[in-house]
Amino acid sequence: MHINKKIASAIAATLMLGTVLVGCGNGNSGSEKVKHTAALVTDGGSIDDKSFNQSAWEGLEAWGKENKLEKGVNGYNYAQSNSDADFTPNINKLIKAKYSTIFGIGYKLAPAIKKTAKQNPKTNFVIIDDVVPGKNVASVTFKSEQSSFLAGVAAAETTKTNKVGFLGGVKSDVITTFEKGFIQGVHAVNPKITVDVKYAGSFTKADLGQSMATAMYNNGEDVIFHAAGGTGAGAFTAAKNLAKNGKKVWVIGVDQDQKADGAYKGGNVTLASAVKEVGNAAKDIANKAMKDKFPGGKVVTYDLKSKGVDLVNDNMSDSAWKVVQQYKQKIIKGDLTVKAK
C-alpha cells in the first residue's frame, strides 16, 4: 500500500509537470491535444497605449480566446517593459515560465531577442519590426511605407495651407519608413506642399508631443501624421485644444484606428489612421507555431495586398477618400512602388 501511494504521487507530479510544460514539445504521447502557449514583451509602453503594443496584445488575446486558452502560465500573457532595461529580464521571466512562443514587440527588443534566442534554442521567438537571424526566430516586418504613402495622399487632399507635418518618436530605420512613405504620398498629389519633419526622441512623452504639435500647428501646418506611440497622444491633445477654439486642424493616427483619440465635445480631429495590423500578425504567427509551422529563420512581411497595413478613413471627404483608394489599388497591383528609404 505504501508503494502504491508513492506511485500515485509520482503520477500526480508527472501530470502536474506536464501541465506546466505543455506546448513546449512538438508532439504528444496520447490523443489529448498539446496546448501551445504564447506571450509578448512590450517595447517600453503599456498594452493599452492605443498603439503598437495594444494592437499586438489584442491580437494575441484573440488568438488565446479562439483556442480556449486562459490568460496566465498555461495560456497567453504579456510582460510590460517600463524601460529598455526591462527587456531581457522580462524575456527570461517568460522563458522560465515555459511559454512556447515569445514575441518581442518592436525593433528595440532585437538585441535582447538575439541573445536569448541563442541561449534557448527550443523556444520560439518573434521579433516585430526588425530582422534577427536564428533558426528559432521569426522576423516580422511591415510595408509601413505603403500605408504612410496613403496617409500622405490623405493629408495632401485635405490641407488648406499646403503645409503638413510629420511627428516621429525615436528616429530609426523603422520610423523613417513612415516619414519617407508619407512624404512620397504628399508629393505624389502636390509636390509644392511643404512637409515639416520633427522627431521627439521618445515614444512615451505625451506632454512633449503636445508642445511640438502645437508649435507645428501654429506654424500653419494643418495636418500632422504622427508615428510616435504614446508621444503622439499629445498631438491629439494639441489638435483638440485648437479645434475647440475654432481652428481647423487634423491628426493622422498610426498603428491602430485612432478615431476615438480625436474625439471631443462637438467634433473629432482624427482625419485617418495608418494602421499596422500587428495583432493580425501576432495571431497568424501564433497559429503557425501551434500547428508546428513556426517560420523560424524566416522574414514574414505584411503589406497592403496581404492586409497587413492599411489606411482607415475616419473623417476624410468623399473626394479625398476616392483618391486614396485609387493610389491604394496602384500599389496593390504593382503599378506604383513606394520606397522605404
Side-chain angles (χ1 to χ4, degrees), residues 20 22-24 35-39 63 69 72-76 97-102:
V20 173
V22 78
C24 293
K35 286 181 181 178
H36 189 89
T37 60
W63 167 80
L69 299 174
V73 176
N74 295 317
Y76 58 94
K98 305 292 183 184
Y99 284 98
S100 312
T101 300
I102 298 171

Side-chain angles (χ1 to χ4, degrees), residues 325-339:
Q325 292 302 302
Q326 290 169 350
Y327 275 103
K328 180 179 177 179
Q329 289 308 311
K330 287 181 182 179
I331 295 169
I332 290 173
K333 289 176 182 177
D335 296 335
L336 173 62
T337 300
V338 184
K339 296 177 182 178

Side-chain angles (χ1 to χ4, degrees), residues 8-242:
S9 297
I11 291 170
T14 302
L15 288 171
M16 186 174 292
L17 184 61
T19 303
V20 173
L21 299 181
V22 78
C24 293
N26 290 323
N28 56 350
S29 56
S31 59
E32 190 175 328
K33 186 179 178 182
V34 176
K35 286 181 181 178
H36 189 89
T37 60
L40 64 81
V41 178
T42 70
D43 71 343
S46 66
I47 57 161
D48 57 357
D49 65 352
K50 298 178 181 177
S51 190
F52 206 65
N53 294 301
Q54 183 171 335
S55 178
W57 172 243
E58 286 176 355
L60 192 64
E61 188 176 39
W63 167 80
K65 289 178 179 178
E66 283 172 12
N67 289 286
K68 295 181 170 57
L69 299 174
E70 292 184 2
K71 183 175 177 288
V73 176
N74 295 317
Y76 58 94
N77 214 336
Y78 72 92
Q80 183 169 310
S81 307
N82 296 315
S83 71
D84 293 7
D86 293 333
F87 295 160
T88 299
N90 276 339
I91 293 169
N92 285 330
K93 181 171 68 176
L94 298 178
I95 291 168
K96 192 174 181 181
K98 305 292 183 184
Y99 284 98
S100 312
T101 300
I102 298 171
F103 291 78
I105 307 303
Y107 70 91
K108 292 170 75 178
L109 281 101
I113 290 288
K114 184 177 181 180
K115 182 180 178 182
T116 51
K118 282 183 179 178
Q119 296 168 343
N120 301 274
K122 292 184 179 179
T123 302
N124 296 331
F125 292 89
V126 184
I127 181 68
I128 301 289
D129 258 353
D130 209 336
V131 177
V132 171
K135 291 181 179 179
N136 60 329
V137 183
S139 300
V140 174
T141 63
F142 297 86
K143 292 281 188 181
S144 302
E145 66 272 18
Q146 294 181 345
S147 52
S148 299
F149 182 98
L150 298 183
V153 172
E157 287 289 328
T158 304
T159 181
K160 303 298 182 186
T161 62
N162 278 353
K163 295 172 76 174
V164 301
F166 173 83
L167 178 59
V170 178
K171 193 166 188 176
S172 66
D173 288 345
V174 171
I175 303 303
T176 54
T177 295
F178 289 90
E179 175 201 331
K180 301 306 179 186
F182 180 66
I183 293 171
Q184 289 170 74
V186 170
H187 288 161
V189 174
N190 184 353
K192 293 183 179 180
I193 295 175
T194 301
V195 183
D196 180 24
V197 175
K198 293 282 192 296
Y199 280 88
S202 171
F203 290 114
T204 58
K205 295 181 179 178
D207 54 345
L208 178 59
Q210 181 179 346
S211 62
M212 291 180 72
T214 299
M216 292 166 80
Y217 287 128
N218 288 338
N219 187 45
E221 297 152 39
D222 55 353
V223 183
I224 293 176
F225 174 39
H226 92 87
T231 300
F236 286 99
T237 303
K240 285 186 282 190
N241 287 341
L242 290 168

Side-chain angles (χ1 to χ4, degrees), residues 259-331:
K259 186 174 184 178
D261 299 75
Y264 67 95
K265 190 175 181 179
N268 194 300
V269 296
T270 307
L271 179 67
S273 298
V275 298
K276 182 186 286 189
E277 300 289 3
V278 185
N280 287 352
K283 276 179 68 176
D284 185 38
I285 299 295
N287 275 323
K288 282 182 168 70
M290 186 175 63
K291 295 171 184 175
D292 290 330
K293 293 180 180 178
F294 180 73
K298 296 180 181 178
V299 178
V300 185
T301 302
Y302 298 88
D303 59 9
L304 274 177
K305 193 172 184 178
S306 63
K307 299 181 180 179
V309 296
D310 205 351
L311 187 77
V312 175
N313 181 8
D314 293 314
N315 284 292
M316 293 172 60
S317 67
D318 291 343
S319 60
W321 182 238
K322 185 178 179 180
V323 176
V324 166
Q325 292 302 302
Q326 290 169 350
Y327 275 103
K328 180 179 177 179
Q329 289 308 311
K330 287 181 182 179
I331 295 169

